[in-house]
């Protein structure tokens, strides 16, 4: 916990609103986080809780009808909220890069790997083609693609999903970004490949000394790579803190519910059935009333119906948003 | 890629063979060539003599074989009416038809690709509605009526453009617009649909995430992919333009092979009709083939199948 940390991205109270026919949809209801150089922040939550929109909001790539607002989005000590599209385009791909969920469709089918890798370098760094090619070959080697030079002439359809995701990672690194946002980068891949890609990401992040935001619903991934964890539910942060703190003493019922869904070495006894979190994420149209999680929470009481939530701060940055005492929330863990 | 091309060329030859057989037998069924040559006033003996002289009494398969054999040597016989070699009559006129067809498809593409792209970038905007209006008119108006209206307005009232003949470039303006407008709706709607689909795709999001300029995203990453089906359709429409020139050439008195085929049909001039049908069919087949090969070149995934 040194104060010397080089903060790359500092977000305060980020909201995304989308007008729909039924009213205003609030997929992201005000979340805050920061991530420093060399640090990995994992944003966790189930489908539909606003994770992907959060990442698109940071990149300025939200759908046209979506509205973004925040108290501040400081990226490299500059508030990027009021940047024009043209100025954002100078940050994207250079200072902040993104890796998407779907490697199968995220590459343009009509252009070769070299073309797609080199164009981002040629646009932002230098117009020297030989240099761009050299960088592409270097990075393909870095992401573990053997015989990189022969891969350069290939088209995306000639590569497997795992290879395509490696190419996407190399593409994100072409200009040496300060921040890399990976939105469920392993969801579409085979389980055996998932671990490789994840390991690769963690390695590269340390290697290139980047800040990384990893968005996932897989807590197994989080446990392996995260420095900080942010658990999102229905567009809100329900718990955040250092990785060990959140895993060892989950304070929000949702977090402990999620943790019951995965086997934890040393904690889950052999043969013991894994848990589930019953129910689905609530409708996100309209204003917030009470705790969004109450209808799925086994500890819910009348208090949860009406009172707005506020975060309870503990030491070392661990915080949670629940009316119930930490003891009540973790009671069922038997911890 | 080579194997793919060879396979396609072989199929193209088979298609042409079938077309030539069908044309030959249908035209021989629909009119008695001996009667046409001998004329209305000829006696039965004269007709019979002509039938023997030209070999029309032989079995139709044999006649077809002879015709095909000569056609492969680029000899389509002589016109019954003009008594001139068909090959000469066609080669003297085909330039006009090709020019018209090419200008028409060019006109259609120049209108439909930009308009379709603009419409796709802002669905349901004013420009999209405007493009839809143009498309609906193009689809609903019969070509000949549209051509006649243009003749009345630009040729007769305002006297801006010549209405008949093919001596200067100005003679091609109205025929090009009349013919090209017919192809515009299909090409424009396909461009629009393709662009809307591509603009919503993951790789366009990737391109934007790379910080590429909007121009590069639109032209390099989106249009290139959206245009692939448009290219194929344009090639097929070019074939339609050549065939559709029969009506337009007749209206504007452009003496290309469309006009010639109309003339030959009225006179039951079978050698001319057969040759022209075969040529139009060859255009279709060759253009479809070219479209496929062009597609394979534009879309690297195709030739892998």
């Amino acid at each position: 916990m040194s104060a010397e940390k080089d903060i790359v991205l500092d977000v305060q109270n980020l909201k995304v609103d989308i007008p729909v026919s039924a009213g205003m949809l609030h997929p992201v209801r005000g979340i805050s986080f920061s991530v420093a150089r060399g640090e990995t922040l994992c944003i966790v939550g189930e489908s539909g809780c606003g994770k992907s929109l959060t990442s698109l909001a940071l990149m300025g790539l939200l759908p046209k009808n979506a509205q973004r607002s925040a108290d501040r989005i400081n990226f490299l000590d500059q508030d990027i909220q009021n940047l024009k599209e043209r100025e954002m385009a100078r940050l994207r791909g250079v200072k902040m890069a993104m890796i998407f969920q779907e490697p199968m469709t995220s590459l343009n089918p009509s252009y070769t790997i070299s073309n797609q890798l080199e164009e981002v370098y040629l646009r932002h760094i230098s117009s020297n083609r030989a240099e761009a090619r050299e960088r592409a070959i270097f990075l393909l080697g870095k992401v573990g693609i053997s015989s990189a030079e022969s891969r350069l002439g290939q088209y995306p359809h000639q590569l497997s999903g795992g290879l395509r995701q490696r190419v996407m990672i190399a593409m994100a690194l072409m200009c040496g970004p300060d921040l890399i946002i990976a939105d469920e980068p392993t969801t579409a891949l085979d389980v055996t490949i998932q671990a490789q890609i994840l390991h690769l990401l963690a390695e590269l992040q340390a290697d290139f000394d980047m800040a990384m935001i990893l968005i996932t619903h897989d807590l197994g991934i989080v446990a392996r790579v995260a420095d900080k964890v942010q658990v999102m539910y229905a567009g809100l942060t329900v718990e955040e803190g250092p990785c060990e703190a959140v895993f060892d003493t989950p304070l929000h019922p949702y977090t402990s519910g999620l943790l019951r869904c995965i086997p934890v070495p040393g904690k889950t006894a052999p043969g013991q059935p894994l848990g589930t979190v019953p129910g689905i994420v609530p409708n996100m149209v309209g204003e917030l009333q009470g705790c969004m999680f109450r209808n799925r929470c086994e500890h819910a009481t009348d208090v949860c119906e009406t009172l707005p939530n506020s975060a309870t701060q503990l030491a070392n940055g661990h915080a949670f948003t629940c009316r119930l005492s930490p003891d009540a929330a973790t009671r069922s863990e038997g911890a | 890629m080579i194997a793919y091309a060879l396979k396609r060329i072989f199929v193209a030859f088979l298609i042409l063979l079938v077309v030539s057989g069908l044309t030959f037998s249908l035209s021989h069924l629909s009119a008695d060539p001996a009667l046409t040559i001998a004329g209305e006033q000829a006696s039965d003996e004269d007709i019979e003599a002509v039938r023997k002289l030209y070999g029309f009494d032989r079995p139709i398969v044999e006649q077809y074989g002879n015709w095909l054999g000569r056609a492969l040597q680029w000899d389509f016989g002589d016109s019954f009416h003009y008594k001139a070699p068909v090959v000469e009559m066609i080669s003297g006129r085909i330039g006009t038809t090709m020019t018209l067809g090419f200008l028409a498809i060019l006109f259609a593409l120049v209108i439909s690709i930009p308009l379709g792209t603009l419409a796709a970038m802002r669905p349901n905007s004013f420009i999209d509605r405007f493009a839809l209006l143009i498309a609906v008119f193009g689809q609903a108006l019969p070509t000949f009526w549209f051509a006649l209206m243009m003749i009345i307005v630009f040729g007769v009232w305002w006297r801006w453009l010549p209405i008949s003949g093919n001596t200067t470039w100005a003679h091609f303006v109205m025929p090009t617009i009349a013919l090209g407008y017919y192809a515009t709706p299909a090409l424009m709607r396909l461009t629009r649909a393709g662009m809307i689909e591509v603009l919503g795709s993951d790789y366009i999001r990737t391109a934007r995430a790379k910080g590429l300029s909007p121009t590069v995203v639109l032209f390099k990453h989106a249009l290139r992919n959206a245009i692939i089906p448009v290219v194929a359709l344009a090639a097929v429409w070019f074939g339609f333009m050549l065939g559709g020139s029969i009506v337009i050439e007749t209206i504007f008195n452009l003496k290309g092979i469309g006009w010639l085929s109309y003339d030959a049909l009225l006179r039951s001039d079978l050698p001319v009709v057969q040759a022209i049908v075969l040529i139009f069919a060859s255009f279709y087949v060759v253009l479809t083939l070219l479209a496929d090969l062009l597609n394979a070149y534009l879309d690297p995934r195709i030739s892998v199948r």
Side-chain angles (χ1 to χ4, degrees):
Chain A
M1 284 274 85
S2 73
E4 299 298 310
K5 278 203 289 186
D6 178 8
I7 298 290
V8 173
L9 179 72
D10 178 22
V11 177
Q12 193 66 45
N13 200 19
L14 174 70
K15 292 177 183 169
V16 176
D17 299 320
I18 302 176
V20 291
S21 53
M24 191 61 97
L25 194 66
H26 305 287
V28 181
R29 291 181 186 261
I31 65 167
S32 309
F33 53 85
S34 72
V35 55
R37 198 173 296 282
E39 196 175 57
T40 300
L41 166 71
C42 278
I43 299 182
V44 189
E46 65 199 286
S47 306
C49 70
K51 299 179 310 237
S52 290
L53 281 172
T54 302
S55 61
L56 292 177
L58 295 176
M59 295 287 288
L61 291 176
L62 283 173
K64 270 183 197 153
N65 57 345
Q67 298 150 11
R68 177 183 76 179
S69 65
D71 293 347
R72 65 166 185 271
I73 306 177
N74 279 358
F75 178 64
L76 300 173
D77 299 323
Q78 177 192 20
D79 195 328
I80 60 171
Q81 279 192 88
N82 297 319
L83 288 188
K84 293 190 181 69
E85 171 56 29
R86 184 191 290 214
E87 294 163 318
M88 270 311 287
R90 272 187 234 289
L91 292 178
R92 284 200 295 264
V94 202
K95 304 285 185 197
M96 52 164 81
M98 189 158 176
I99 299 163
F100 295 98
Q101 198 178 125
E102 284 293 336
M104 301 313 277
T105 51
S106 290
L107 288 163
N108 192 322
S110 292
Y111 294 98
T112 57
I113 302 305
S114 69
N115 187 319
Q116 297 188 56
L117 281 175
E118 286 159 24
E119 72 173 340
V120 58
Y121 188 88
L122 293 173
R123 160 139 171 103
H124 297 295
I125 307 284
S126 119
S127 54
N128 184 333
R129 290 186 172 275
E131 218 175 280
R133 195 170 187 85
E134 206 175 297
R135 175 86 180 159
I137 292 173
F138 166 72
L139 281 173
L140 285 182
K142 273 278 175 197
V143 298
I145 294 183
S146 54
S147 58
E149 287 186 58
S150 67
R151 292 289 182 194
L152 281 177
Q154 291 191 313
Y155 287 93
H157 71 269
Q158 293 168 302
L159 308 182
S160 67
L163 277 180
R164 287 190 212 187
Q165 195 61 300
R166 284 173 198 266
V167 169
M168 288 298 293
I169 294 171
M171 193 184 286
L173 297 176
M174 277 303 277
C175 300
D178 300 277
L179 170 70
I180 192 155
I181 302 174
D183 184 5
E184 305 211 20
T186 59
T187 308
L189 302 173
D190 291 346
V191 181
T192 46
I193 310 291
Q194 288 186 359
Q196 291 176 16
I197 294 285
L198 215 61
H199 189 69
L200 177 71
L201 270 177
E203 199 178 282
L204 291 168
Q205 184 245 358
D207 215 9
F208 288 80
D209 198 25
M210 299 175 291
M212 179 155 83
I213 297 177
L214 183 62
I215 291 166
T216 180
H217 60 251
D218 185 342
L219 284 169
I221 291 177
V222 179
R224 275 182 280 174
V225 299
D227 296 309
K228 294 199 294 191
V229 181
Q230 181 119 4
V231 183
M232 272 181 81
Y233 184 79
L236 282 170
T237 303
V238 293
E239 182 159 0
E240 63 186 305
C243 184
E244 319 83 65
V246 173
F247 270 75
D248 293 344
T249 50
L251 296 175
H252 195 281
Y254 181 57
T255 315
S256 40
L258 284 178
L259 282 170
R260 272 201 305 278
C261 301
I262 58 161
V264 180
K267 269 193 180 178
T268 315
Q272 181 188 336
L274 295 174
T276 55
V277 183
I280 53 166
V281 179
N283 185 349
M284 296 207 260
V285 177
E287 287 308 314
L288 198 60
Q289 278 201 336
C291 173
M292 292 297 275
F293 188 60
R294 62 178 185 275
N295 49 4
R296 297 172 71 183
C297 180
E298 49 189 330
H299 311 294
T301 64
D302 291 348
V303 201
C304 306
E305 294 285 334
T306 46
L307 285 173
N309 279 308
S310 58
T312 308
Q313 298 283 347
L314 301 179
N316 66 7
H318 194 173
F320 69 104
T321 312
C322 181
R323 284 275 137 197
L324 303 163
S325 74
D327 284 333
T330 52
R331 202 165 35 200
S332 63
E333 288 295 289
Chain B
M1 180 77 190
I2 304 278
Y4 175 75
L6 287 178
K7 202 169 81 186
R8 294 306 320 259
I9 289 170
F10 176 69
V11 173
F13 266 107
L14 285 185
I15 293 173
L16 283 181
L17 196 66
V18 172
V19 169
S20 70
L22 278 177
T23 324
F24 192 89
S25 43
L26 283 178
S27 55
H28 275 256
L29 283 174
S30 62
D32 184 352
L35 191 69
T36 314
I37 298 169
E40 295 288 327
Q41 287 84 25
S43 65
D44 286 354
E45 294 82 48
D46 288 346
I47 294 173
E48 205 51 45
V50 167
R51 188 165 285 147
K52 278 220 158 53
L53 181 68
Y54 282 84
F56 294 142
D57 54 340
R58 315 299 301 175
I60 189 141
V61 178
E62 190 185 326
Q63 292 186 50
Y64 172 65
N66 290 337
W67 176 78
L68 190 65
R70 285 199 307 274
L72 286 175
Q73 295 162 51
W74 208 238
D75 174 11
F76 290 95
D78 290 354
S79 157
F80 292 163
H81 181 76
Y82 294 100
K83 311 294 182 207
V86 173
V87 170
E88 277 176 28
M89 293 173 66
I90 289 176
S91 60
R93 291 183 168 88
I94 198 159
T96 305
T97 301
M98 294 293 274
T99 309
L100 176 61
F102 181 73
L103 288 175
I105 198 70
L106 201 66
F107 173 80
L109 286 173
V110 163
I111 299 286
S112 55
I113 290 179
L115 213 50
T117 304
L118 284 173
M121 287 167 69
R122 293 192 172 70
N124 299 321
S125 65
F126 168 75
I127 187 90
D128 189 21
R129 310 265 173 196
F130 176 70
L132 182 66
L133 189 74
I134 294 212
V136 168
F137 268 110
Q139 234 146 19
L141 300 182
T143 317
F144 72 89
W145 186 84
F146 183 58
L148 291 175
M149 287 303 116
M150 276 203 295
I151 287 177
I152 292 174
V153 175
F154 299 109
V156 179
W157 291 354
W158 294 343
R159 296 183 179 278
W160 286 354
L161 292 163
I163 60 172
S164 168
N166 54 346
T167 39
T168 67
W169 65 267
H171 286 92
F172 281 94
V173 174
M174 282 197 289
T176 297
I177 294 173
L179 196 54
Y181 189 25
Y182 186 48
T184 304
L187 293 171
M188 185 170 71
R189 299 308 281 176
L190 191 65
T191 306
R192 179 184 181 273
M195 276 304 269
I196 286 182
E197 193 193 321
V198 168
L199 285 173
S201 70
D202 287 347
Y203 57 81
I204 292 303
R205 192 180 54 186
T206 306
R208 293 181 60 212
K210 283 155 88 174
L212 302 176
S213 74
T215 325
V216 173
V217 173
L218 186 67
F219 288 101
K220 179 180 171 184
H221 286 276
L223 197 56
R224 163 74 183 260
N225 286 289
I227 215 85
I228 291 172
V230 179
V231 167
L233 189 69
V236 175
W237 270 97
F238 185 41
F240 279 136
M241 295 291 93
L242 298 175
S245 63
I246 294 176
V247 175
I248 294 295
E249 284 182 16
T250 308
I251 292 176
F252 289 97
N253 202 28
L254 278 175
K255 298 206 169 153
I257 59 173
W259 177 86
L260 183 65
S261 67
Y262 170 77
D263 184 63
L265 276 169
L266 286 185
R267 299 180 198 278
S268 297
D269 201 344
L270 292 194
V272 178
V273 174
Q274 282 160 10
I276 291 179
V277 170
L278 194 60
I279 285 174
F280 278 148
S282 313
F283 280 148
Y284 274 118
V285 169
V286 170
L287 287 170
T288 317
L289 180 68
L290 281 181
D292 285 348
L293 295 180
L294 196 58
N295 255 347
Y297 170 73
L298 286 176
D299 185 345
R301 287 167 300 180
I302 287 181
S303 51
V304 171
R305 284 188 211 132

